[in-house]
Amino acid sequence: MANRIEVALKAGVRDARGERIKREIEDFLHLAVDDVRTIDVYTVDAVLAPGLLEQAAAGPFSDPVIQVWSLDKPLATGFDYVVEVGFRPGVTDNVGRTAREAVSYLSGTPFADGEGVYYAVQYLLKGLLTADDVENIATGLLCNTLIQRYTVLSSQDFSQKGGFAAVAPKVQSGLKIEVKEVDLNVSDEELMRISREGVLALTLDEMQIIQSHYRDPRVLEERAKIGLGAKPTDVELECLAQTWSEHCKHKIFAGTVHYEDENGRKQEIKSLFKSFIQRTTKDVREKMGDKDFCLSVFKDNAGVIRFNDKHSLVFKVETHNSPSALDPYGGALTGIVGVNRDPFGTGQGSKLIFNTDVFCFADPFFKKPLPKRLLHPRRIYEGVVEGVEHGGNKSGIPTVNGSLVFDERFAGKPLVFCGTAGLMPAEVNGQPGHDKYIKPGDLIVMTGGRIGKDGIHGATFSSEELNENSPVTAVQIGDPITQKRMFDFLIRARDKGLYRFITDNGAGGLSSSIGEMAGECGGCRMDLAKAPLKYPGLNPWEILISEAQERMSLAVPPEKIDDFLAMATRFGVEASVLGEFTDNGVFHILYEDKTVAYLPMDFMHEGLPPMQLPAKWVPPLHEEPVCAEKLDYTEDLKQLLASLNICSKESVVRRYDHEVQGGSVVKPFCGVANDGPSDAAVVRPILESFEGVVTAHGICPRYSDIDTYHMTANAVDEALRNYVAVGGSLELVAGLDNFCWCDPVQSEKTPDGPYKMAQLVRSNQALYDVCMVYNLPLISGKDSMKNDFYDGTVKISIPPTLLFSVIGKIEDARKAVTMDVKRPGDFVYLLGCTANELGGSEYLALKGFVGNKVPRVDAISAYARYQAYHQAVLQGLVASCHDLSDGGLAVAAAESAFAGGFGISLDLSRVPWQGLEDGWNDEALLFAESASRLLVTVRREHSEAFEAIMGDECCARIGVVTENPELLIEAIEGHNVINADLAELKQVWQSTLREL
Amino acid sequence: MAQTRAIVITGNGTNCEMEAAHACRMGGFDEVVIAHIAEILSGEVRLDDFHFLNLTGGFLDGDDLGSAKAQANRLKNAAVDGSGEKLVEQFNRFISAGKLILGVCNGFQLMVKMGMLPAFDGNYLNQSVTLTHNDCGRFQDRWCYLKVDAASASVFTKGISGGIYLPVRHGEGKFVCDSEATLERIEREHLAVFKYSDPEYDAATMEFPANPNGAQNGIAGICDPSGRLMGLMPHPEAFVHYTQHPRWTREQLPEEGDGLILYKNATEYVRKNLV
């Protein structure tokens, strides 16, 4: 029988959680409530010694200073309605897991199979609410019904029933474990039904390739030898679907594109990945010659570059969009702890040194109706922010850099980019830290969490558009502590040389991790019955493809296995031997010694012919706004500072620990009041040294409405100029590309596929062109190609988005530069030319236009300027530097000024201009987002030296830092076009998201 | 000369072990060991071999049952392999031997929930205060001015004039006592070593964000009556060099950060009294 332990706050103790819910009910649902209080509920389903439940309740479960507890007796009083919310059976319950462990410490014995502790929260609502209101509060705010269950009771029902019954949400199994065969000798329609209903996300072509494989007499002969029939097993079909999913196989980037440009010129591109991304790296590395610093690119979970003689840097950025759309908290939490495993599972393994996050959302104050199944942007915002907060903070990895980007179309799918960098020894036990290999005979070992039904079909579901029937099981909840324990153990096992190969279990689960590892040595033999399960009742195919979190796969030499397993036990980490690696060319899977899958490795990995993708570029033409010549633009500046894309994100950023590990040098905020927005982050990963790692990013999806070529060029430039601004060295800097696209494959649902595909081609072209000039090798990346919502009537496609991240080095972190102006009297310089380029700008968006004159990157001139600027930084000549991006010069100047607490006075007529005279006006000078520009302040006594270094690199002195706390900008004609008090500018900049 | 030895316990969600160890080394300890709790429970590492114990920041067990609750339960109940003793006995021995313990953030929460602070009347296993959710309802990473009680017995804060400036990084840092009497006694005996204050360290404050969590009387850290055990929510190990200061690019700062003095004082004390 299960028992309920309830824990409530003592009378008079403030209930911060309840207060927050009350605020959210009022803000989101516009319902008035008088009071919300909360109670923690632990349902203990275990046979325990007498008195132990009381001991647990009084000990680990409650805090005697502020809480009271009860056993099998409700504590709730003084409410009108109560809502109890717990997890659905099988969903990761971190609090329940910790509670169970705490009880084990008290009893001295572990729980038996099937026993457990389950956590729930009671919300006591007081106020004039109807039953419908409460239902609305429960489903609209308190409970995500995909992963949670809830019960509502009125105070009357509650007293009649004597509270809630103790029910343990156990996974009910009992179904027979079975392996089914699937008949593929069927019609095409039937093949597609099998794919669709099984969430396999395989196309007809792909189904037919599988069909013909199982008609091949040689294949059938091999199968007969090991006792398998002619039909594929469900294990095989699921395994192929994972391996061949867009998510794992990147079929669009690997496909053959038939591209036609605006002039009708045709071109066949065999694999965008090889033709542009890999080629960029190859060509940049050749160009760098003996200065090449790349160590491991594209072949591992993350890219590796040199840091110094003893250490290498590892970096990876991932997306977790689809799960975050369904369950923002769990999806985002899994996103961050998931990407942590990438650098950790790179080479021999690395220590994680920082996280970065970029989120793209729709307006959290969105007021229009939304299609069913889409969560309100505010809920997504809250959930994602909190998920990444918990994942990052609890893992002890500082979140040093990030962005929030807003566009209405991200209501269709939010983008959740999570990045993690690691530091690895250049050598581990005499071998390069970034290398690893497997020998036939090495044992297959899985460590970390257990396998459940969570995350089944994650890889295939994210390879489709989001729709009403998106599967519930695709969502997982991360558990940072189980992962942290595993990492604590594995990093020590690495140093003792206890394993030979390590990789992450992410999308596709074991089918993907072991499938790829088997590719290293040429085969494997694995028994799924040996994998530890969260609960019984999983079929072999489910075990193979489950994306249950916090697991790593390893190859352990047989002579090391005893030491490895013993150490795992000591560190409280579960490790299981599932089989061994072979070289017989077969992915051989068993269940209780019986073969359930027998797939030739070459068919799994090479069996898929490239997709054929049409692409046709027709440049769009938008309405061109007429320049509004005004005498004063102060109001426009204030509106820009308050706009979602420009305003302060401090309320979010302060929730992320950006200083843990002790190496932060340039933090997210700087300036006199610690609230100016830094351009990039600098951290010292080795506390005994002043060598710093610099990271920054660029993202500008708005420009995609005009041309993705320029969107991409600007994103790359923005990343590098942010990096350069704080003092990053151009000698050692690498890039990562994360493409998030709307589906570019032409189909009934996507008639404009060729246009979207052409956008992808153009983006790749720009990536190559700009990175070549900037000497930026691409070391890793990811693409997510199905960011659409479609419910049969409404289709929402995100704007094509490239997140470009850079990682590099500053030789001496003590030379880093921040964006706040430092003292009155310093000269203000503008580096880079401004042009009539308001197209896609925040300013035009404010006026309801897109325009056409998108900023263009002149990479050659920009690179020379960045090099010169870096010399000035090394010589200590730069007092402050801020990059110009959203909102242009006016916004950058305002931010630098109010961050530093001193005024700036500028003269627009001195701003270097490029292009025709007829576009030269105050509006463009103030707000154009022309690329590659930096606003720099320099002490007067350094100005001569600074100007000498900058030479002809498009640099002009445009003003001065002033004692008066105001921003004064003089028009071409000499009058003040901006005249604003800094406190007021800062106030509007800070107010938009302050309360979120 | 005999060795001064510091230990930093990690594992199960502790995150600040690296910088805490670095701070101990910079503070002057001859030897600093980062020990995983598994290595202590297996008997490989014994607290008895050290003079200064660091319980540092992190999210022990995810703070799933309330901050540090699960670890407090573990330390009280877990047995050390092969020794026949519970880990808590090693702690008791460490304390009675007159050694030093510093709890930072999650480590402070742990000390409080085990009852090691304020430890009236020499009772080190009786909880009388707690650290709970910030009034703002959210995790906060921000820098705070901390006024130091010069009359406190704390061995860590000797020589600090006025106060120090450190970052806080927590969601559960609001200091609350079980009764008015406890709070009064903490004040009377000068156990409230650190209080959130104005930038001039003139007076304690209840104003957000200077007081980031709503702590009673602005209390950010306390010590036991002996002054050898101390805990605080802010992170002294996170400010041992000027480049960690949020405004180092605009202010003239000394090479050493404000937090280092705690570790220097610990070294000094150990040298004089324990080796």
Side-chain angles (χ1 to χ4, degrees):
Chain A
M1 192 205 101
N3 300 86
R4 281 170 67 93
I5 294 171
E6 295 190 1
V7 179
L9 290 166
K10 286 182 181 172
V13 176
R14 188 166 176 175
D15 187 342
R17 179 171 56 181
E19 285 173 21
R20 183 172 150 196
I21 295 292
K22 177 176 186 291
R23 261 195 324 270
E24 289 179 355
I25 292 172
E26 289 162 353
D27 290 352
F28 287 152
L29 306 171
H30 312 293
L31 292 168
V33 270
D34 297 337
D35 187 35
V36 181
R37 290 186 66 81
T38 59
I39 289 175
D40 293 307
V41 182
Y42 300 89
T43 302
V44 183
D45 183 22
V47 179
L48 298 168
L52 208 84
L53 285 167
E54 289 84 350
Q55 216 186 321
F61 290 6
S62 68
D63 183 328
V65 175
I66 48 168
Q67 291 173 324
V68 291
W69 58 270
S70 75
L71 176 61
D72 295 323
K73 203 177 76 191
L75 288 177
T77 52
F79 58 90
D80 294 308
Y81 281 95
V82 56
V83 183
E84 185 166 301
V85 180
F87 289 109
R88 285 178 177 272
V91 175
T92 303
D93 177 355
N94 289 325
V95 179
R97 193 244 316 123
T98 302
R100 166 192 166 127
E101 212 178 88
V103 175
S104 305
Y105 275 113
L106 291 175
S107 68
T109 49
F111 275 45
D113 280 348
E115 294 186 334
V117 181
Y118 304 88
Y119 177 65
V121 181
Q122 264 180 24
Y123 300 91
L124 314 180
L125 310 174
K126 200 168 164 48
L128 281 175
L129 296 164
T130 65
D132 281 350
D133 290 341
V134 178
E135 191 67 21
N136 197 358
I137 291 169
T139 56
L141 191 71
L142 302 178
C143 174
N144 182 345
T145 52
L146 275 182
I147 52 162
Q148 291 167 311
R149 65 205 151 82
Y150 70 98
T151 317
V152 178
L153 289 179
S154 66
S155 58
Q156 204 181 357
D157 291 346
F158 186 85
S159 44
Q160 267 172 15
K161 293 184 179 169
F164 292 90
V167 181
K170 268 197 239 184
V171 176
Q172 298 302 330
S173 57
L175 290 172
K176 209 170 104 235
I177 306 293
E178 58 179 351
V179 175
K180 287 186 190 143
E181 291 188 330
V182 184
D183 189 357
L184 293 187
N185 280 316
V186 293
S187 67
D188 288 353
E189 291 78 45
E190 189 59 15
L191 284 179
M192 280 319 287
R193 190 193 60 79
I194 293 169
S195 171
R196 203 170 42 244
E197 289 180 6
V199 201
L200 300 180
L202 291 166
T203 63
L204 181 59
D205 288 348
E206 290 159 357
M207 287 300 287
Q208 285 169 339
I209 291 165
I210 299 174
Q211 185 185 49
S212 59
H213 175 76
Y214 286 92
R215 284 172 177 171
D216 183 339
R218 279 166 308 172
V219 170
L220 298 186
E221 192 183 324
E222 283 297 313
R223 293 176 69 79
K225 277 187 206 161
I226 47 133
L228 278 182
K231 295 175 197 162
T233 64
D234 54 5
V235 184
E236 292 174 320
L237 204 53
E238 290 282 354
C239 179
L240 287 171
Q242 302 308 308
T243 312
W244 290 4
S245 67
E246 176 55 41
H247 190 101
C248 295
K249 193 85 185 170
H250 310 288
K251 289 179 283 199
I252 293 170
F253 262 87
T256 300
V257 186
H258 306 276
Y259 177 64
E260 184 181 335
D261 72 10
E262 67 271 36
N263 300 315
R265 274 193 299 263
K266 291 182 182 167
Q267 191 186 353
E268 186 188 89
I269 303 161
K270 285 195 170 139
S271 171
L272 288 171
F273 177 66
K274 286 188 180 146
S275 307
F276 293 103
I277 295 173
Q278 260 187 338
R279 186 163 64 100
T280 300
T281 307
K282 184 172 155 284
D283 291 358
V284 170
R285 292 182 73 178
E286 264 170 32
K287 196 174 146 200
M288 308 267 289
D290 57 6
K291 287 186 174 168
D292 173 28
F293 49 80
C294 295
L295 296 173
S296 170
V297 289
F298 302 121
K299 61 181 184 188
D300 211 327
N301 292 311
V304 188
I305 59 172
R306 189 189 133 83
F307 182 59
N308 57 27
D309 289 343
K310 290 199 171 137
H311 291 94
S312 311
L313 280 176
V314 190
F315 197 21
K316 174 66 173 253
V317 182
E318 272 275 10
T319 46
H320 221 229
N321 310 333
S322 302
S324 302
L326 294 179
D327 171 21
Y329 175 81
L333 172 60
T334 310
I336 190 70
V337 295
V339 76
N340 288 167
R341 291 194 300 274
D342 280 320
F344 194 89
T346 295
Q348 297 284 312
S350 67
K351 178 186 178 303
L352 308 179
I353 56 169
F354 65 75
N355 287 334
T356 61
D357 309 307
V358 175
F359 309 140
C360 301
F361 298 138
D363 183 348
F365 309 109
F366 195 80
K367 290 212 172 68
K368 296 178 211 165
L370 281 163
K372 207 178 153 202
R373 196 57 180 275
L374 285 185
L375 296 175
H376 189 275
R378 170 99 183 242
R379 245 185 119 179
I380 293 189
Y381 178 107
E382 297 276 346
V384 167
V385 167
E386 185 161 290
V388 174
E389 173 193 325
H390 288 176
N393 290 357
K394 290 187 177 181
S395 303
I397 304 163
T399 299
V400 300
N401 187 244
S403 274
L404 287 170
V405 179
F406 295 93
D407 185 294
E408 204 162 282
R409 289 164 285 181
F410 292 121
K413 229 183 220 185
L415 303 183
V416 178
F417 298 92
C418 297
T420 304
L423 187 76
M424 64 164 57
E427 259 189 25
V428 177
N429 301 313
Q431 302 224 20
H434 56 272
D435 269 354
K436 55 187 169 188
Y437 61 99
I438 296 174
K439 284 188 179 170
D442 284 353
L443 300 170
I444 300 173
V445 176
M446 184 185 97
T447 61
R450 294 184 152 216
I451 296 178
K453 294 197 183 197
D454 32 351
I456 283 177
H457 286 145
T460 52
F461 131 83
S462 63
S463 302
E464 293 180 325
E465 86 283 352
L466 195 59
N467 58 55
E468 262 206 275
N469 303 315
S470 298
V472 174
T473 53
V475 175
Q476 322 103 348
I477 295 184
D479 172 2
I481 293 309
T482 296
Q483 180 151 304
K484 173 98 181 159
R485 272 187 196 168
M486 173 172 67
F487 286 177
D488 281 348
F489 154 59
L490 286 175
I491 204 106
R492 288 166 172 80
R494 175 195 76 181
D495 295 338
K496 288 179 194 275
L498 296 183
Y499 58 78
R500 223 186 316 258
F501 194 104
I502 181 168
T503 198
D504 150 46
N505 268 297
L510 286 172
S511 78
S512 172
S513 69
I514 304 300
E516 281 169 25
M517 286 172 82
E520 291 282 321
C521 61
C524 71
R525 190 184 148 90
M526 170 166 72
D527 193 333
L528 296 172
K530 293 183 176 160
L533 304 181
K534 290 183 178 174
Y535 36 80
L538 268 72
N539 284 307
W541 71 267
E542 294 174 305
I543 300 173
L544 186 63
I545 71 165
S546 161
E547 295 176 12
Q549 293 291 297
E550 290 80 43
R551 293 181 293 145
M552 302 295 286
S553 290
L554 300 104
V556 178
E559 66 274 16
K560 299 279 171 68
I561 191 69
D562 291 345
D563 286 351
F564 183 92
L565 295 177
M567 191 173 171
T569 306
R570 259 192 303 136
F571 278 75
V573 175
E574 193 155 29
S576 317
V577 179
L578 306 183
E580 71 275 326
F581 292 98
T582 65
D583 55 3
N584 67 0
V586 181
F587 185 71
H588 188 174
I589 305 300
L590 304 99
Y591 187 83
E592 289 177 341
D593 290 329
K594 189 174 173 301
T595 296
V596 294
Y598 195 80
L599 291 165
M601 298 289 303
D602 53 356
F603 178 63
M604 255 176 93
H605 291 304
E606 314 295 337
L608 203 58
M611 258 176 143
Q612 303 296 314
L613 298 155
K616 189 169 187 326
W617 175 241
V618 183
L621 190 64
H622 300 279
E623 185 187 344
E624 189 60 42
V626 187
C627 167
E629 286 289 350
K630 291 202 289 191
L631 286 175
D632 188 290
Y633 287 92
T634 306
E635 272 314 305
D636 299 271
L637 173 61
K638 284 184 190 165
Q639 284 180 34
L640 276 174
L641 287 169
S643 69
L644 284 168
N645 281 323
I646 293 173
C647 71
S648 171
K649 314 297 186 295
E650 188 169 352
S651 60
V652 173
V653 178
R654 292 255 174 245
R655 294 169 63 179
Y656 296 148
D657 187 335
H658 49 260
E659 299 178 274
V660 62
Q661 300 191 11
S664 87
V665 175
V666 175
K667 303 179 202 295
F669 296 107
C670 58
V672 64
N674 302 344
D675 56 8
S678 294
D679 289 332
V682 180
V683 297
R684 288 186 301 134
I686 303 160
L687 297 175
E688 291 76 17
S689 156
F690 288 104
E691 290 165 297
V693 181
V694 185
T695 190
H697 68 273
I699 184 167
C700 23
R702 276 175 297 104
Y703 299 158
S704 291
D705 290 334
I706 301 175
D707 189 343
T708 50
Y709 184 94
H710 299 297
M711 177 277 284
T712 302
N714 277 286
V716 176
D717 182 65
E718 184 181 17
L720 192 69
R721 75 176 180 262
N722 277 319
Y723 168 90
V724 166
V726 299
S729 158
L730 292 161
E731 303 277 305
L732 201 160
V733 54
L736 270 92
D737 54 280
N738 281 80
F739 286 88
C740 280
W741 235 249
C742 35
D743 189 0
V745 181
Q746 187 173 17
S747 71
E748 237 171 77
K749 284 183 279 189
T750 312
D752 55 350
Y755 175 73
K756 289 170 173 167
M757 195 63 215
Q759 288 184 305
L760 187 62
V761 171
R762 294 186 62 72
S763 174
N764 273 275
Q765 288 170 334
L767 193 61
Y768 179 83
D769 294 349
V770 178
C771 288
M772 274 306 284
V773 178
Y774 285 171
N775 290 325
L776 271 172
L778 302 170
I779 55 166
S780 185
K782 198 68 191 269
D783 57 275
S784 163
M785 305 304 291
K786 309 272 170 164
N787 293 294
D788 309 85
F789 171 83
Y790 186 56
D791 63 2
T793 49
V794 180
K795 178 157 182 171
I796 308 174
S797 295
I798 64 148
T801 303
L802 174 78
L803 171 68
F804 195 80
S805 310
V806 294
I807 184 168
K809 188 173 178 181
I810 179 168
E811 288 295 337
D812 184 347
R814 292 168 293 192
K815 296 214 159 121
V817 174
T818 54
M819 53 73 69
D820 47 317
V821 299
K822 300 298 188 295
R823 66 191 72 74
D826 284 3
F827 286 146
V828 179
Y829 291 86
L830 185 61
L831 277 50
C833 290
T834 305
N836 183 16
E837 292 176 325
L838 280 166
S841 67
E842 280 295 324
Y843 176 76
L844 283 196
L846 204 65
K847 310 280 171 200
F849 290 98
V850 175
N852 300 289
K853 294 169 186 146
V854 67
R856 286 160 189 260
V857 176
D858 177 351
I860 293 171
S861 118
Y863 194 64
R865 195 154 60 242
Y866 294 160
Q867 283 178 308
Y869 167 79
H870 187 64
Q871 287 311 311
V873 171
L874 292 181
Q875 293 186 23
L877 303 176
V878 177
S880 80
C881 177
H882 192 20
D883 104 297
L884 273 67
S885 58
D886 294 357
L889 174 61
V891 164
E895 288 176 345
S896 289
F898 61 60
F902 297 111
I904 287 183
S905 168
L906 299 179
D907 179 354
L908 289 182
S909 69
R910 290 167 169 245
V911 170
W913 180 260
Q914 191 175 42
L916 299 173
E917 276 292 314
D918 75 337
W920 188 58
N921 56 50
D922 294 337
E923 195 181 37
L925 287 165
L926 287 168
F927 303 119
E929 296 172 7
S930 298
S932 319
R933 294 180 302 161
L934 297 167
L935 189 71
V936 175
T937 62
V938 175
R939 269 179 194 264
R940 273 170 200 252
E941 59 267 36
H942 290 151
S943 62
E944 220 168 288
F946 180 76
E947 285 170 26
I949 286 182
M950 291 312 298
D952 305 328
E953 303 301 342
C954 194
C955 162
R957 201 173 95 201
I958 62 166
V960 67
V961 179
T962 61
E963 188 79 49
N964 276 355
E966 56 191 16
L967 180 65
L968 283 181
I969 302 183
E970 206 175 298
I972 298 172
E973 303 288 341
H975 58 280
N976 281 334
V977 272
I978 304 259
N979 183 349
D981 175 56
L982 288 187
E984 206 183 323
L985 293 180
K986 188 166 172 177
Q987 145 67 19
V988 293
W989 178 72
Q990 289 184 326
S991 60
T992 310
L993 292 175
R994 186 177 359 225
E995 301 306 323
L996 254 63
Chain B
M1 198 171 80
Q3 294 263 304
T4 52
R5 309 187 74 206
I7 182 170
V8 184
I9 298 183
T10 187
N12 293 320
T14 291
N15 292 329
C16 300
E17 68 274 14
M18 195 179 72
E19 59 269 39
H22 177 69
C24 290
R25 277 190 287 270
M26 288 192 56
F29 278 89
D30 299 315
E31 190 183 350
V32 184
V33 170
I34 295 175
H36 193 280
I37 186 79
E39 294 166 316
I40 296 173
L41 288 173
S42 71
E44 283 167 88
V45 177
R46 289 177 345 126
L47 297 185
D48 306 77
D49 297 332
F50 298 88
H51 308 109
F52 176 34
L53 169 61
N54 286 266
L55 301 168
T56 189
F59 283 83
L60 286 162
D61 303 276
D63 282 355
D64 284 338
L65 306 175
S67 59
K69 285 291 291 179
Q71 176 89 334
N73 179 58
R74 184 183 288 116
L75 295 187
K76 280 187 178 176
N77 294 290
V80 177
D81 288 351
S83 67
E85 68 176 357
K86 286 197 166 182
L87 183 53
V88 71
E89 293 168 51
Q90 282 193 22
F91 271 90
N92 285 337
R93 210 156 52 231
F94 194 89
I95 295 168
S96 2
K99 296 175 173 179
L100 305 184
I101 305 181
L102 178 64
V104 172
C105 195
N106 204 208
F108 180 31
Q109 293 163 338
L110 176 64
M111 288 178 82
V112 152
K113 290 178 187 187
M114 284 189 76
M116 288 158 66
L117 287 173
F120 294 139
D121 310 315
N123 186 345
Y124 288 95
L125 288 173
N126 180 38
Q127 184 181 349
S128 59
V129 302
T130 196
L131 293 152
T132 186
H133 294 279
N134 299 349
D135 274 352
C136 66
R138 302 217 189 274
F139 183 97
Q140 289 289 307
D141 179 337
R142 57 172 72 248
W143 283 62
C144 292
Y145 295 93
L146 303 163
K147 178 178 164 60
V148 171
D149 184 347
S152 112
S154 168
V155 306
F156 298 94
T157 52
K158 298 290 172 236
I160 294 178
S161 61
I164 56 177
Y165 187 50
L166 296 176
V168 298
R169 310 192 309 249
H170 60 248
E172 295 181 46
K174 179 182 178 179
F175 182 85
V176 178
C177 295
D178 63 355
S179 67
E180 274 301 312
T182 301
L183 183 60
E184 274 166 28
R185 187 163 170 192
I186 286 173
E187 293 285 12
R188 194 171 60 241
E189 298 185 12
H190 294 282
L191 303 182
V193 189
F194 297 101
K195 289 186 176 180
Y196 302 109
S197 79
D198 60 295
E200 281 72 42
Y201 308 117
D202 284 337
T205 180
M206 293 304 289
E207 293 294 313
F208 181 86
N211 175 339
N213 50 41
Q216 281 183 340
N217 291 9
I219 293 173
I222 59 172
C223 65
D224 77 328
S226 79
R228 291 181 290 104
L229 274 57
M230 187 176 83
L232 69 164
M233 286 313 298
H235 288 265
E237 81 291 350
F239 187 30
V240 296
H241 186 263
Y242 74 85
T243 55
Q244 295 165 317
H245 190 286
R247 298 186 299 274
W248 71 268
T249 59
R250 57 183 300 122
E251 291 178 12
Q252 285 298 318
L253 298 166
E255 185 81 12
E256 286 180 2
D258 283 3
L260 190 58
I261 192 162
L262 272 57
Y263 300 89
K264 286 185 151 179
N265 279 331
T267 317
E268 183 76 13
Y269 183 88
V270 169
R271 257 197 211 122
K272 278 192 184 150
N273 300 285
L274 297 171
V275 295

